[in-house]
Amino acid sequence: MRSKTTAPLAPARPTHAERIRSVLASAHSMTVVTDRERTEVTRLTARALAGHVHLHPLETAFDPEGTPISLEFTDVAPTPVRNRVRARVTVTGRTAAPYRADAPDSQCVQFAHATLETAEGTASVGLAELTTAEADPLATTEAGMLTHLVDDHAELVPLLLRLVRPAPVAGARRVLPVAVDRYGITLRVEYGNGHTDARLPFPSRLEAADQAGSQIQALLNSARRASHRGRLFAGW
């Protein structure tokens, strides 16, 4: 009797709502789009964003003076990888009063939905799901962690490729970390004519940012114990 085989489970990763919350939490700028203007708002912090924009459920009857509005955010990888845009988030709704770029007070937005666009596709998230989701604990520290890894410990990054299954094909020109979250780290393997992303799950889910160092160290220890098969990099 032939035994049944089960496909391996995909590594855990943030939900669409969690990903959106993380992008909003780490955003330094956004584009505000109305039917009258397109305004760039810079130097945002999570606190400034929360204080400037308040999301409310979409009402059936709008204020006649309200303005349809979209808030656009771009999530860019902090490391110098190819195709650095990792995601785009658009929050759509309607203001309770006409939007003014120079308004000193905060804006109240009647929320319609949020859209997450990534290389994997597009997903729409409602207010209930967005409000119950949490931003990743590494959202505001990810950039510093990844740039530190690349700038000060670059020799460790190719080592992590020993854990990638299936193993990357030979001839890679460069590998860089492109993202890290509470569930794992993602490497971008670049070739002469393209790239692939490989996700390495942490041994356990992070509950706080200060746990990231030990989880990455655990991956490195596993990589050192793994056998090294073939030459992945030209000249390596």
Side-chain angles (χ1 to χ4, degrees):
M1 183 176 179
R2 182 177 297 176
S3 61
K4 293 182 178 180
T5 59
T6 57
L9 295 176
R13 60 183 64 228
T15 66
H16 297 313
E18 289 171 339
R19 185 79 183 275
I20 290 173
R21 287 293 298 269
S22 297
V23 171
L24 299 185
S26 58
H28 295 291
S29 64
M30 69 177 175
T31 303
V32 180
V33 182
T34 69
D35 54 358
R36 297 183 181 90
E37 61 182 321
R38 184 181 183 92
T39 307
E40 300 294 329
V41 180
T42 59
R43 299 190 180 183
L44 282 177
T45 64
R47 182 175 299 177
L49 176 61
H52 187 70
V53 178
H54 304 275
L55 300 179
H56 302 279
L58 187 66
E59 302 291 345
T60 54
F62 291 116
D63 184 324
E65 295 185 353
T67 303
I69 191 170
S70 294
L71 311 178
E72 299 176 352
F73 303 85
T74 302
D75 177 34
V76 179
T79 51
V81 295
R82 293 178 183 167
N83 300 342
R84 291 185 67 182
V85 174
R86 302 184 299 189
R88 298 185 191 277
V89 169
T90 303
V91 176
T92 60
R94 192 177 183 94
T95 61
Y99 175 79
R100 287 175 47 214
D102 59 347
D105 300 324
S106 60
Q107 301 286 333
C108 289
V109 176
Q110 292 183 332
F111 177 93
H113 67 273
T115 301
L116 173 69
E117 297 179 60
T118 66
E120 289 76 37
T122 302
S124 184
V125 174
L127 182 60
E129 188 179 357
L130 193 63
T131 18
T132 55
E134 294 182 352
D136 194 274
L138 302 183
T140 58
T141 58
E142 178 198 26
M145 290 175 54
L146 293 185
T147 52
H148 172 72
L149 182 59
V150 169
D151 293 342
D152 298 332
H153 305 285
E155 75 285 356
L156 298 178
V157 180
L159 182 64
L160 291 171
L161 282 182
R162 298 185 186 184
L163 300 177
V164 175
R165 295 294 180 269
V169 298
R173 294 187 174 180
R174 185 172 69 163
V175 58
L176 290 169
V178 67
V180 64
D181 54 61
R182 73 190 316 164
Y183 299 103
I185 187 169
T186 301
L187 306 178
R188 178 155 294 173
V189 187
E190 298 179 353
Y191 299 90
N193 59 351
H195 68 268
T196 60
D197 286 349
R199 187 168 176 82
L200 299 177
F202 289 141
S204 59
R205 164 183 146 139
L206 301 182
E207 299 302 331
D210 59 7
Q211 298 171 354
S214 61
Q215 295 285 355
I216 293 176
Q217 188 59 53
L219 289 180
L220 289 169
N221 291 340
S222 296
R224 292 186 181 99
R225 293 192 296 267
S227 60
H228 180 58
R229 301 176 182 176
R231 291 167 61 89
L232 296 175
F233 288 86
W236 182 54

